[in-house]
Amino acid sequence: MSSIIIGIDAVKNSIRNVPNFPKEGIQFKDVSTAFKDQQIFKYIVTELRNKYIACGITKVVGIESRGFILGSILAGELEAGFVPIRKPGKLPSETFVQSYDLEYGSDSLEIHTDALDGDDVVLIHDDLLATGGTVNAAVDLVRKFGVTKIYVNFFVELDFLCGRERIAKDINVWSLIHY
Ligand code: AMP
């Protein structure tokens, strides 16, 4: 069996750009083309694990839906619990709700009111940072529990949209791939 050396450029090249999806003017970064490759997927998981293994993370919070893919695997790698943040009406029990603006539209997010404790060390994960509206809503939801140690991670960050500048300065933000 042949094997190739995977590096950050190979990961970046494996992400498919889809112009004008889901609407005109959006350059959609399709991460499924990276995740379907076993060696690339393994490389991504290893990089994320190595970044956070010493941080004492107790809960990984994944944002629906693409944030569930790496988020849940990362929770397993870090021996942390996994908590979903979901779109409205999906969670069955009592929730906190937070509205936010998207690169294309607006929406709200929910988390179960018993999902976290104030002493949790939380890693919020999503597939991509664009304008930062989604992750800021997730941060606001996590803060409702009194959590003070919050890390934020993205697989992909669109630097030109400056979403990082909208995230509170006390939060450690890290992305594997930048455009
Ligand atoms: P934002 O709230 O603007 O940071 O948007 C981030 C969320 O929208 C993430 O959950 C992404 O999955 C999705 N998203 C926004 N823009 C894009 C894009 N250009 N390509 C892929 N996903 C995107």
Side-chain angles (χ1 to χ4, degrees), residues 20-21 26 44 51-52 54 61 64 75 153 162-163:
N20 304 317
F21 181 88
I26 302 293
I44 296 164
K51 178 72 183 175
Y52 293 106
V61 173
E64 185 173 1
N153 166 253
C162 303

Side-chain angles (χ1 to χ4, degrees), residues 87-179:
K87 290 167 184 162
K90 303 280 188 183
L91 291 171
S93 192
E94 189 186 344
T95 60
F96 293 127
V97 184
Q98 188 70 47
S99 299
Y100 68 105
D101 294 322
L102 272 175
E103 190 185 2
Y104 37 85
S106 70
D107 213 335
S108 58
L109 290 173
E110 298 186 1
I111 191 169
H112 273 142
T113 55
D114 59 358
L116 299 169
D117 294 312
D119 59 359
D120 272 318
V121 180
V122 171
L123 172 59
I124 298 173
H125 169 80
D126 202 2
D127 67 323
L128 183 138
L129 173 63
T131 65
T134 308
V135 73
N136 272 331
V139 168
D140 288 345
L141 286 172
V142 168
R143 287 205 204 271
K144 289 183 195 291
F145 296 85
V147 173
T148 54
K149 291 182 186 161
I150 305 174
Y151 296 80
V152 166
N153 166 253
F154 304 94
F155 172 41
V156 176
E157 178 170 347
L158 304 183
D159 294 343
F160 54 91
L161 291 175
C162 303
R164 181 179 284 253
E165 289 170 18
R166 294 179 61 193
I167 302 172
K169 298 294 166 268
D170 62 314
I171 292 176
N172 181 303
V173 183
W174 180 74
S175 307
L176 184 64
I177 301 293
H178 292 263
Y179 288 93

